[in-house]
Amino acid sequence: MLTIPLVTLLGLAERPGDAPALGALDPALARDLAAGAARNPRSTWCITVTDEQGHAIGHGCARRARTRRKPGHDGAAGNRGPTPYPSPARTRDGPALTFAPADNHGSPPDGGYGTWHLTIGGRDYTVTLIPIPVTGCDHRYETAGYKPSRLLRHLVEVRDGQCTQPTCVRAARRCDFEHATPYHKGGRTCGCNGGCRCRRDHRVKQSPGWKVTQPMPGYHQWTTPSGRTYTTEPMRYPI
């Protein structure tokens, strides 16, 4: 999986990309990898919107569009929801890319969330941006059972980025979805009570003397048997 800032992909900035287990990637290399992925029809694409601190507040995964969209204003994801700005027809080294509102005559949907069109590598996609539960949660993605839905798990993975144990950097996609307040003790299967924990730290959290709480969705407070507390925040994406 490759994560790359949109302005880097468009050739408007030189911020590094990122890949699990590899760390920061040279911007030119990230664009080259993205161009290679764009040539493969089986590649999948997602858009993550961040706030001013780099915390993910919106996300959507692309689906192939049934018909080609009409020409419109190009745009890009921005803080507090996407806002349009001109993008070049071609990027410095990466694939040709446009990101534009699907309706409202080229204006962003209300609040920035809603349906957008993504064209990359000559292929058209539809992206529906939805809010991520961070700092606040209205329980819209909550599931009644123990296991989260695929959507809930994916959004928590995007929000947390990696294992929430303070010293662990295992990628969220390789972690368990774990309840801060255990499910059998009334804990919700929801973004405000769920977090990414690798299997090792999942077991540590369940060991005598350890405690994990979520003061706010995305903020995980670990208390050790000695009484010390450490708090981790949501993943900070490059902004």
Side-chain angles (χ1 to χ4, degrees):
M1 184 175 69
L2 169 67
T3 301
I4 178 171
L6 186 56
V7 289
T8 298
L9 189 60
L10 293 173
L12 302 176
E14 292 297 301
R15 300 168 188 163
D18 182 81
L22 296 178
L25 298 178
D26 178 81
L29 174 59
R31 284 191 289 266
D32 186 55
L33 292 172
R39 291 191 291 269
N40 187 338
R42 292 186 296 177
S43 297
T44 58
W45 302 89
C46 294
I47 299 289
T48 299
V49 186
T50 67
D51 63 12
E52 293 87 347
Q53 288 75 44
H55 298 149
I57 59 171
H59 185 78
C61 291
R63 297 181 299 174
R64 287 296 299 271
R66 293 184 179 180
T67 58
R68 292 186 63 85
R69 68 177 178 86
K70 296 179 180 180
H73 299 287
D74 298 337
N79 296 334
R80 296 194 204 86
T83 54
Y85 70 84
S87 61
R90 289 191 174 276
T91 60
R92 197 176 304 177
D93 297 307
L97 180 149
T98 60
F99 188 56
D103 47 26
N104 293 340
H105 306 288
S107 299
D110 184 30
Y113 300 108
T115 304
W116 292 69
H117 281 306
L118 171 68
T119 300
I120 186 166
R123 296 183 176 88
D124 291 333
Y125 300 88
T126 298
V127 181
T128 301
L129 293 176
I130 59 176
I132 288 180
V134 57
T135 67
C137 181
D138 58 10
H139 315 302
R140 71 176 65 188
Y141 311 118
E142 181 178 6
T143 57
Y146 173 76
K147 291 186 177 181
S149 65
R150 290 182 62 184
L151 175 61
L152 173 59
R153 179 182 174 91
H154 182 58
L155 293 178
V156 169
E157 289 174 354
V158 172
R159 180 194 69 190
D160 292 349
Q162 60 190 33
C163 175
T164 59
Q165 200 268 5
T167 62
C168 185
V169 295
R170 184 176 291 271
R173 295 179 68 184
R174 300 177 60 194
C175 293
D176 298 337
F177 178 97
E178 206 270 334
H179 298 69
T181 300
Y183 178 76
H184 68 276
K185 293 184 178 180
R188 294 175 179 264
T189 304
C190 188
C192 57
N193 188 54
C196 296
R197 248 82 79 181
C198 71
R199 184 58 54 86
R200 174 184 176 276
D201 291 318
H202 187 164
R203 291 169 177 166
V204 167
K205 182 255 185 182
Q206 296 173 333
S207 301
W210 288 83
K211 183 180 180 181
V212 176
T213 59
Q214 279 188 253
M216 295 187 295
Y219 290 79
H220 307 267
Q221 187 174 80
W222 288 71
T223 303
T224 70
S226 65
R228 294 186 178 183
T229 60
Y230 303 87
T231 302
T232 60
E233 63 177 342
M235 177 80 168
R236 282 183 181 257
Y237 290 88
I239 56 174

